[in-house]
Amino acid sequence: MKSGLSFLVGALRCEIDELEQLARTSELVATIGRLVHALQRERGISNVLLASRGQRFVAQRDAQIAECLRQEQAVRLAFDQLDAADGRIGNGARLFSRIAWVLPGMDALAGLRQRIGAQDIDAAQSTAAFGKLIAGLIAVVFEAADGATDPEISRLLVALFNFMQGKEFAGQERACGAAAFASGRNDGARQQQWLHLIASQEHCFALFADFAAPGLAEVWGSVQAAAQLAELERLRRIACAAPAGVALDSELSPAWFDCCTRRIDAMQAVEERLAADLRGLCLHKTTQARSELQAHEALLASLQVGNGVETADFFLDAPATPDAPAGGAPYGRQLERSILDMVQEQSRRLQAMGDELDTVRAALNERKLVERAKGLLMAHRRIREEEAHKMLRQTAMNQGRRLVEVAESVLAMAEYLPVDKAP
């Protein structure tokens, strides 16, 4: 008959399996982050090319496409290394579904690039196409965070996801401004989109700061040079404060792109630090769990073979035998209490992990609710994402409620909000 210690050893083995899977997932997340960064830059360069009617950034685009192809190959290889038949992968069904959705988007990049080179697409369409693929890649990171079972690792994944999402909004702002300055014009709709992107960045970076370790938040603050931020704000005011229809100086296009790129490159350095910390944390926890497992397995082996005493007998207050150590150790009440202490400590640790994990998961669930509510409003009102988000945020402010509470109210009314179909 198996003892409690046997099941404690089994629990540690399961924990190590989960940690090793999280380590593999963390490597995937880091690889995806590099592809996203490369695609964000290609999107901005493409918008300058399109808005300038092929006059700017031709050579830069060729070089960036080559970089994107290298990073894309790395992501495809990382996908191939995932075992789709492994049922132990946390949140595997949703994670694999996201990957299945992303791959056709990656396959379609060649056609998109051909259309951009031929000027058969405008900047808005190019931005939307790149944005759709990048959103899918970031969704893979979200599912990885949602499937994490260790609270410390989960917190770091949530911090990384929100930072990547904030960086994506910064990338969209770069693309939006690049098109505006390169074309020499801005309009009210684009200005509203621009302001939405700025507000969305601030929200994501605030969530990142909530979940990241203090040191990481300080790193993010330190890489934001005051002069760089001042230049960014100056260019933002030029474009966003200008009345609709007033021409913008197209010569500011390279300055805008370079200013945003320096900021986004600094974000990438923070993102790489986050990914490295994530891998280091996985390694540390796995090493710690393996050490604990080794000690437990050694104790279990000694109980099973020592002095012919059966595993089921070690809870008995057996007298010392001539071959046993003095005092009856390792058998008897002293050992019983020792093993019971280990089991209780494991139980307390798992309970604390569960409580912390619930806190982290709450943030992820809030995002799911807000995204679903935005989708419902977009379908019902036939509006863009930024307009739907603005409606939710404005309602929350007017009613003094949290954004997630307003999202829950909208979803509760789903059956009374028929989708407005196009004529």
Side-chain angles (χ1 to χ4, degrees):
M1 184 177 295
K2 291 184 178 180
S3 67
L5 183 58
S6 299
F7 287 100
L8 191 58
V9 166
L12 279 169
R13 288 172 180 161
C14 290
E15 185 177 341
I16 290 170
D17 284 345
E18 290 174 355
L19 287 169
E20 289 177 341
Q21 180 56 51
L22 281 171
R24 289 190 289 271
T25 302
S26 299
E27 292 288 350
L28 173 63
V29 166
T31 306
I32 287 174
R34 296 185 193 103
L35 174 59
V36 166
H37 183 67
L39 289 172
Q40 287 167 337
R41 184 178 177 87
E42 183 184 351
R43 175 179 56 194
I45 289 173
S46 298
N47 271 16
V48 174
L49 180 83
L50 290 167
S52 66
R53 295 181 173 85
Q55 298 304 304
R56 295 182 185 271
F57 283 13
V58 176
Q60 291 94 324
R61 177 172 176 263
D62 291 339
Q64 190 58 33
I65 289 174
E67 172 62 17
C68 285
L69 289 172
R70 285 192 293 272
Q71 298 300 339
E72 180 186 338
Q73 185 61 31
V75 169
R76 289 182 182 274
L77 180 61
F79 285 164
D80 289 345
Q81 291 173 344
L82 287 176
D83 185 358
D86 188 354
R88 297 174 300 172
I89 293 180
N91 208 27
R94 292 182 61 84
L95 178 64
F96 292 145
S97 294
R98 294 291 189 183
I99 292 173
W101 188 90
V102 160
L103 285 171
M106 293 167 64
D107 293 338
L109 278 172
L112 173 63
R113 287 165 178 150
Q114 186 175 12
R115 293 187 67 192
I116 291 170
Q119 304 282 302
D120 287 340
I121 190 173
D122 62 27
Q125 293 170 318
S126 172
T127 297
F130 277 109
K132 185 177 181 180
L133 174 57
I134 291 171
L137 288 165
I138 294 178
V140 174
V141 178
F142 175 83
E143 297 303 341
D146 201 24
T149 54
D150 181 277
E152 284 187 79
I153 294 173
S154 186
R155 287 187 73 88
L156 202 47
L157 274 167
V158 171
L160 177 58
F161 164 74
N162 280 289
F163 195 84
M164 289 180 70
Q165 187 68 71
K167 179 170 168 283
E168 166 56 7
F169 287 130
Q172 290 181 27
E173 184 190 8
R174 174 175 60 185
C176 176
F181 279 116
S183 65
R185 62 181 184 275
N186 206 5
D187 56 36
R190 181 178 281 158
Q191 287 175 332
Q192 288 299 314
Q193 180 190 14
W194 206 325
L195 294 172
H196 165 73
L197 292 171
I198 293 171
S200 297
Q201 289 174 62
E202 293 173 352
H203 175 70
C204 287
F205 292 137
L207 285 174
F208 153 74
D210 287 342
F211 285 95
L216 285 169
E218 291 171 6
V219 169
W220 167 230
S222 67
V223 300
Q224 300 184 86
Q228 176 184 308
L229 291 177
E231 175 67 1
L232 178 68
E233 290 301 325
R234 182 182 76 84
L235 293 170
R236 280 173 170 174
R237 284 196 297 272
I238 289 174
C240 294
V246 172
L248 298 176
D249 183 359
S250 62
E251 295 301 316
L252 289 175
S253 178
W256 166 260
F257 187 87
D258 290 344
C259 179
C260 289
T261 297
R262 286 192 296 272
R263 179 171 177 252
I264 293 172
D265 285 349
M267 292 179 193
Q268 180 64 12
V270 175
E271 190 177 301
E272 290 284 357
R273 165 73 182 273
L274 275 163
D277 285 357
L278 184 60
R279 293 192 295 272
L281 182 59
C282 288
L283 178 61
H284 169 72
K285 284 184 169 288
T286 303
T287 302
Q288 192 176 47
R290 284 191 178 281
S291 177
E292 190 175 350
L293 175 62
Q294 187 176 15
H296 286 14
E297 285 179 330
L299 177 58
L300 181 61
S302 70
L303 290 172
Q304 290 172 331
V305 302
N307 299 321
V309 178
E310 298 294 333
T311 303
D313 292 337
F314 70 71
F315 282 114
L316 298 177
D317 192 9
T321 65
D323 296 325
Y331 310 110
R333 292 293 183 187
Q334 183 177 354
L335 178 60
E336 177 185 343
R337 286 193 298 271
S338 177
I339 295 175
L340 185 59
D341 286 345
M342 286 190 291
V343 173
Q344 289 176 338
E345 174 59 30
Q346 173 77 343
S347 177
R348 284 192 294 269
R349 187 169 69 88
L350 291 175
Q351 181 62 51
M353 287 174 62
D355 293 343
E356 176 68 9
L357 197 56
D358 287 343
T359 301
V360 178
R361 288 268 170 82
L364 295 172
N365 289 333
E366 286 185 9
R367 178 184 182 274
K368 290 179 184 177
L369 290 172
V370 172
E371 291 300 314
R372 286 173 56 200
K374 283 197 299 185
L376 182 62
L377 289 174
M378 290 165 64
H380 173 65
R381 298 289 188 91
R382 295 176 61 197
I383 56 178
R384 297 191 304 273
E385 180 184 0
E386 58 265 24
E387 293 174 305
H389 187 80
K390 182 179 179 181
M391 286 181 63
L392 292 172
R393 190 174 64 243
Q394 191 63 51
T395 302
M397 291 175 60
N398 292 343
Q399 298 180 1
R401 302 165 67 193
R402 296 171 60 224
L403 185 63
V404 67
E405 293 172 346
V406 174
E408 287 174 336
S409 298
V410 171
L411 292 172
M413 297 291 293
E415 61 181 296
Y416 304 107
L417 296 174
V419 175
D420 186 7
K421 298 180 180 179

